[in-house]
């Protein structure tokens, strides 16, 4: 997985696309997985594109869980998203 500037701004091209991968690829805890799954997010690219208001409105998503998801995205090489605000 990779992330390049431009994806977040809506400019999607071959060089800055995040390959389609299910959220299971992030190897999250059960709570973090369920927060994303029940909110309707199925792919890593969808999660990476979330904006801060959408993240904050997710049910059962607290600081620790948001930090876990942010760290998982970083481990996959996805940087520069609104999830970075939740890194501790």
């Amino acid at each position: 997985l990779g992330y390049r500037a431009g994806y977040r701004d809506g400019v999607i091209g071959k060089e800055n696309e995040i390959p389609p991968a299910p959220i299971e690829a992030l190897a999250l805890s059960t709570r973090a997985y369920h927060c994303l799954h029940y909110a309707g997010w199925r792919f890593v690219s969808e999660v990476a594109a979330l904006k801060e208001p959408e993240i904050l409105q997710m049910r059962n998503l607290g600081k620790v869980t948001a930090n876990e998801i942010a760290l998982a995205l970083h481990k996959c090489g996805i940087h520069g998203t609104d999830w970075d605000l939740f890194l501790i």
Side-chain angles (χ1 to χ4, degrees), residues 23 26 28-42 47 50 54-69 83:
I23 58 174
L26 295 175
L28 299 169
S29 67
T30 302
R31 174 180 285 279
Y33 171 79
H34 283 149
C35 285
L36 296 175
H37 181 77
Y38 291 126
W41 309 114
R42 301 293 185 260
V47 173
L50 290 174
E54 295 170 306
I55 296 168
L56 294 173
Q57 290 176 359
M58 236 181 284
R59 186 178 172 115
N60 294 325
L61 185 78
K63 290 179 184 179
V64 174
T65 306
N67 180 51
E68 177 188 347
I69 296 169
W83 286 100

Side-chain angles (χ1 to χ4, degrees), residues 2-45:
Y3 177 86
R4 295 183 187 222
Y7 179 84
R8 193 168 158 212
D9 299 328
V11 180
I12 300 174
K14 273 191 172 181
E15 66 188 35
N16 43 11
E17 263 185 44
I18 299 172
I23 58 174
E24 289 85 358
L26 295 175
L28 299 169
S29 67
T30 302
R31 174 180 285 279
Y33 171 79
H34 283 149
C35 285
L36 296 175
H37 181 77
Y38 291 126
W41 309 114
R42 301 293 185 260
F43 296 98
V44 175
S45 59

Side-chain angles (χ1 to χ4, degrees), residues 1 26 67-81 83-85 87:
L1 299 175
L26 295 175
N67 180 51
E68 177 188 347
I69 296 169
L71 286 173
L73 289 170
H74 268 255
K75 286 180 184 177
C76 291
I78 301 170
H79 308 283
T81 66
W83 286 100
D84 292 349
L85 301 170
L87 290 173

